[in-house]
């Protein structure tokens, strides 16, 4: 079974993402900030990461840079989640190593489409 790490400081977003991802046959692991997410990735690298951009302690950009330096850190497909819709933020995330992005709020159809785009659905 594929694993998806959901990294978001909002418990509501994590819950919504979990329901969608479990319905798509993913095992879901959660982290509420980038620091916790790095520790989880060091323990067991997931197949996919749904990553919030704005979080306390370590934001999505910092996490992504750290992830890509870890052994096997280039393996997970990273879909970053944001409320930002400006081109500069999206370009920065993609340049840092994100594979795709998704706008909040999202639903099952949007999530499925994005996971298909990165080869995971």
């Amino acid at each position: 079974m594929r694993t998806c790490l959901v990294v978001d400081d909002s418990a509501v977003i994590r819950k919504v993402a979990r329901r969608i991802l479990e319905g798509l046959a993913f095992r879901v692991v959660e982290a509420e900030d980038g620091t916790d997410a790095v520790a989880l990735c060091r323990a067991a690298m997931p197949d996919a990461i749904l990553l919030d951009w704005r979080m306390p302690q370590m934001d999505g950009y910092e996490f992504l840079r750290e992830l890509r330096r870890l052994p096997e850190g280039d393996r997970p497909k990273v879909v970053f989640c944001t409320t930002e819709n400006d081109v500069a933020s999206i370009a920065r995330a993609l340049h840092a190593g994100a594979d795709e992005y998704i706008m909040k709020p999202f639903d099952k159809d949007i999530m499925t489409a994005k996971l298909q785009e990165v080869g995971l659905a």
Side-chain angles (χ1 to χ4, degrees), residues 4 21 23-24 41 59 62 66 74 82 88 98 102 107 110-111 114 117 119 121:
C4 184
L21 289 162
L24 297 171
C41 289
D59 67 17
E62 292 172 284
E66 184 71 23
D74 59 339
T82 184
I102 195 169
D107 60 21
I110 293 168
M111 179 84 69
K114 291 298 182 176
E117 286 181 36

Side-chain angles (χ1 to χ4, degrees), residues 23-65:
L24 297 171
F26 279 88
R27 185 174 73 80
V28 177
V29 180
E30 297 181 22
E32 57 184 65
D33 63 45
T35 304
D36 291 343
V38 168
L40 289 168
C41 289
R42 282 192 175 115
M45 195 62 70
D47 299 295
I49 300 172
L50 186 64
L51 178 63
D52 185 21
W53 211 232
R54 296 195 185 277
M55 296 178 291
Q57 293 186 34
M58 180 187 285
D59 67 17
Y61 182 74
E62 292 172 284
F63 165 78
L64 192 49
R65 289 181 52 218

Side-chain angles (χ1 to χ4, degrees), residues 6 14 40 43 62 66 88 94 99:
V6 178
R14 291 194 314 269
L40 289 168
E62 292 172 284
E66 184 71 23
L94 295 174
D99 296 286

Side-chain angles (χ1 to χ4, degrees), residues 7 22 31 106 108:
V7 187
E22 286 177 345
F106 52 82
K108 183 179 180 183

